[in-house]
Amino acid sequence: MVQLTGETSVRLRILISVLIGAASGVFCWYILRHLRLGAADFTWTLRAARFLLERQSPYDTPLQQYPMTAAPFGIPFLWLPPEIAAGAFYGLSSALLAYGLSAHGYYRLFVFLAYPYWAGILTAQWAPLIMAAAFFPLLLPATLAKPQVGLPVTLTRLTRKGIVACVVLIAATLLLLPRWPLLWIGQFGHYEHFFPILALPGPLLALALFRYRERDAQFLLLSSIMPQRWFFDSFTLWLIPESRREILFTAALSWLPGIWRWYHMPGSYLEVGRWTVIFFYLPMLIVVMARAQLLRKKWSGDSRAESTSS
């Protein structure tokens, strides 16, 4: 078996990450261009970035629902055509996520097979960058760009560097537009959503409380009480599975809502929530609970071995 040196491993990780980022970015650009969607959802980040630089409020339309903490991430892309800007954003986000995941084993890259990732690529969503923030403390401010998705990552992966970076980002936006938090809060009534824990059989997710000491259980519960809108918001749940079996199990099930969505337009966000809970959240609950059971058996086996040896 060939052993990779540390330097070679890093280079390989960079190469794989660049390839994933380039492929996802080009595909995102192609979809947006083909469907004539402009920058899709990333449009609102670009718009917020322009308004922030002009020190003006972007909340003159109910469609602008992102906090101004998202705006600085759009500034580097303002000079690009909309479709290219969105593709570049999604590609870069995917590359950073791939690099972070690969540090824990290349098999972790199987998370890109999950349906929510591909649902997000169609509209240039934030979830991949928010997931990447779990591996890079200085990226933690990205979780503030879409708090309903990012807050569980923030609360379960706090570091001193991450906190400082978040404070700097918030301070910078307040300096340029002091009243933006109040203006943003005024937009809450326009955000159509569902709460996973309230979308039947969502209450079953409370079973994760039995594993409340474990970070993945905490993350699952926090995610379940956050307001969400569509399937792509749940991609961050793929921070939970660790083994190849766990990742492939959850990724395979996640495509059932995707297939259903292809043939049937959901009648309500609550309907989206129900499919999200059944095929995204409950499999993650199974992973968390099954992992705890395996650890319990391992500890029990070790204890019996020690007793026998003594």
Side-chain angles (χ1 to χ4, degrees), residues 183-201:
L183 297 172
W184 174 57
I185 290 173
Q187 302 289 80
F188 284 7
H190 303 296
Y191 182 68
E192 298 181 277
H193 60 277
F194 64 88
F195 291 95
I197 200 165
L198 298 180
L200 294 176

Side-chain angles (χ1 to χ4, degrees), residues 22-44:
S24 60
V26 169
F27 184 66
C28 180
W29 162 80
Y30 174 78
I31 290 293
L32 298 180
R33 183 173 179 270
H34 179 70
L35 298 179
R36 299 181 179 179
L37 296 176
D41 196 61
F42 195 58
T43 298
W44 302 104

Side-chain angles (χ1 to χ4, degrees), residues 218-295:
Q218 297 167 9
F219 179 72
L220 182 63
L221 280 170
L222 286 170
S223 297
S224 72
I225 63 175
M226 294 291 122
Q228 297 176 23
R229 173 175 287 178
W230 201 250
F231 299 118
F232 44 63
D233 287 333
S234 300
F235 182 50
T236 54
L237 292 179
W238 270 263
L239 288 170
I240 294 175
E242 296 176 350
S243 70
R244 182 183 289 102
R245 180 179 299 179
E246 291 173 349
I247 295 170
L248 293 177
F249 163 68
T250 53
L253 286 178
S254 74
W255 276 95
L256 294 177
I259 297 171
W260 167 76
R261 164 66 183 85
W262 182 262
Y263 294 101
H264 172 76
M265 175 60 72
S268 67
Y269 286 106
L270 186 59
E271 190 175 4
V272 174
R274 186 171 296 113
W275 281 78
T276 297
V277 167
I278 294 173
F279 294 104
F280 300 168
Y281 277 85
L282 290 185
M284 294 300 174
L285 177 65
I286 292 173
V287 166
V288 170
M289 303 302 285
R291 188 186 298 158
Q293 186 66 24
L294 287 174
L295 287 174

